[in-house]
Amino acid sequence: MQGVLKGIILLIPGILLCGAVTVISLGIQAAEERVFDHPYIEALVVAILLGMAVRTAWDPSERWRSGIAFSAKQLLEVAVMLLGASISFAAILASGWLLIGAIAATVVVMLAVSYGLARLLGLKTKLAILIACGNSICGNSAIAAVAPVIEADGDD
């Protein structure tokens, strides 16, 4: 029990940092919505850009890294799962089988095309997979969800 508690405590600084980036990003999106009546850059993109800026300006010590890694993997996977769960099966079926099939076919074709183009341009396999998923599925959240599955490194 003590080891589990210690492990959780070690995650807190990095999780709080990621939480701060999230809150700031949501605030920026809310400000955009107030000014423009529409977010031109959504909170997810703002969070990625803000995270990149923080990481460029500051190399976090080990104290921060475990919580950041936990947030980037486990918390993000749960968030993507909850996003998918927010769409009811009835709503999907109400769209019609033709639309569902067309969407699935489009995703498969775009995965293949994006992956093929990335490899044709000489990109590494893992980077090509990430780009294909990002272009074909749902952008940055797909990349973030697929990266740990294919064991992509930070350069990818």
Side-chain angles (χ1 to χ4, degrees):
M1 181 66 177
Q2 223 174 17
V4 171
L5 185 58
K6 184 178 178 181
I8 291 171
I9 290 170
L10 290 174
L11 296 176
I12 291 173
I15 291 173
L16 289 176
L17 176 64
C18 292
V21 168
T22 301
V23 169
I24 292 167
S25 301
L26 289 169
I28 290 172
Q29 179 176 320
E32 277 185 278
E33 289 172 350
R34 279 193 301 278
V35 172
F36 303 112
D37 293 326
H38 178 5
Y40 287 98
I41 303 175
E42 293 182 351
L44 176 63
V45 176
V46 173
I48 290 170
L49 294 173
L50 187 56
M52 288 170 51
V54 168
R55 180 62 179 90
T56 299
W58 174 60
D59 186 19
S61 66
E62 190 56 42
R63 174 179 185 225
W64 302 90
R65 288 185 187 155
S66 59
I68 293 169
F70 178 80
S71 297
K73 184 170 177 13
Q74 282 83 7
L75 292 182
L76 184 62
E77 287 175 4
V78 169
V80 170
M81 178 198 65
L82 291 174
L83 178 65
S86 69
I87 301 171
S88 73
F89 190 65
I92 293 170
L93 288 179
S95 300
W97 287 107
L98 181 60
L99 180 61
I100 293 168
I103 291 169
T106 301
V107 169
V108 168
V109 168
M110 290 313 301
L111 277 168
V113 169
S114 298
Y115 177 79
L117 284 173
R119 294 296 290 151
L120 200 65
L121 292 170
L123 299 178
K124 297 184 301 182
T125 301
K126 288 181 182 179
L127 182 56
I129 291 170
L130 293 175
I131 289 171
C133 290
N135 286 334
S136 308
I137 302 171
C138 61
N140 298 318
S141 56
I143 292 170
V146 170
V149 174
I150 64 169
E151 299 176 352
D153 60 24
D155 290 338
D156 294 325

